[in-house]
Amino acid sequence: MNCRRFRTESEAETIALGAQLARHWRAPKVVLLIGNLGAGKTTLAKGIAEGLGAAERNEVSSPTFPLIHEYGDPVRVYHVDLYRLDTLAEVATLGLPEIFERDAVVLLEWAERFPQILPEARVEIRIGATAGESRELIVTELPEPLC
């Protein structure tokens, strides 16, 4: 099974872990960032974008209101947040199937709410806050059983 567990103790460590993970990925790649509000999904996205050379960490922000942020020239990272969407019809307006095929890493927040749209081949990163700034991250490459 291709499942790895990590623990970070600070925002800086979470960013560094995102950069480390990203250096092993080849586009196209779809990555689900799964966790409660405030779990550290956008913090991890900062490291991923930085690790891919698409943006500096201070340029990456939550796409909650614009729904999609693009990083890099050409675009190497799409950061998508489906939190505010309630129906598959709303999700369909984003054109995700076309984005999934682009030569980029697609980071999806709250996509687990719409399993019908997810490609079979993907990475799922479950982020859980423990104490203070500590985070536990479980990274699973699919299609593989979850750990």
Side-chain angles (χ1 to χ4, degrees):
M1 177 170 26
N2 194 358
C3 178
R4 296 169 287 162
R5 292 179 183 271
F6 300 91
R7 184 177 182 91
T8 62
E9 300 297 334
S10 67
E11 181 176 324
E13 285 185 15
T14 302
I15 291 170
L17 176 61
Q20 174 189 339
L21 292 169
R23 289 185 195 107
H24 299 285
W25 295 335
R26 298 292 171 256
K29 177 77 70 187
V30 174
V31 180
L32 274 65
L33 303 177
I34 303 168
N36 294 331
L37 287 171
K41 296 180 296 292
T42 299
T43 300
L44 187 66
K46 290 177 182 205
I48 292 169
E50 189 171 80
L52 293 169
E56 297 294 322
R57 67 181 67 174
N58 63 345
E59 298 172 326
V60 177
S61 61
S62 175
T64 300
F65 291 101
L67 302 179
I68 301 176
H69 284 165
E70 300 175 353
Y71 298 104
D73 185 17
V75 176
R76 286 183 292 227
V77 175
Y78 291 89
H79 186 190
V80 182
D81 190 332
L82 303 179
Y83 181 76
R84 292 183 34 236
L85 303 182
D86 294 317
T87 67
L88 278 174
E90 290 173 317
V91 174
T93 65
L94 299 178
L96 291 178
E98 294 81 17
I99 292 173
F100 292 163
E101 293 177 6
R102 295 186 181 155
D103 191 25
V105 171
V106 181
L107 305 175
L108 296 170
E109 295 189 26
W110 302 99
E112 68 276 10
R113 296 175 53 222
F114 303 99
Q116 313 88 317
I117 68 161
L118 301 177
E120 185 176 324
R122 64 185 184 265
V123 176
E124 292 188 356
I125 303 177
R126 297 179 185 279
I127 307 168
T130 53
E133 288 190 38
S134 296
R135 301 287 183 263
E136 181 179 61
L137 299 95
I138 302 170
V139 180
T140 306
E141 301 266 350
L142 295 175
E144 290 285 333
L146 292 176
C147 56

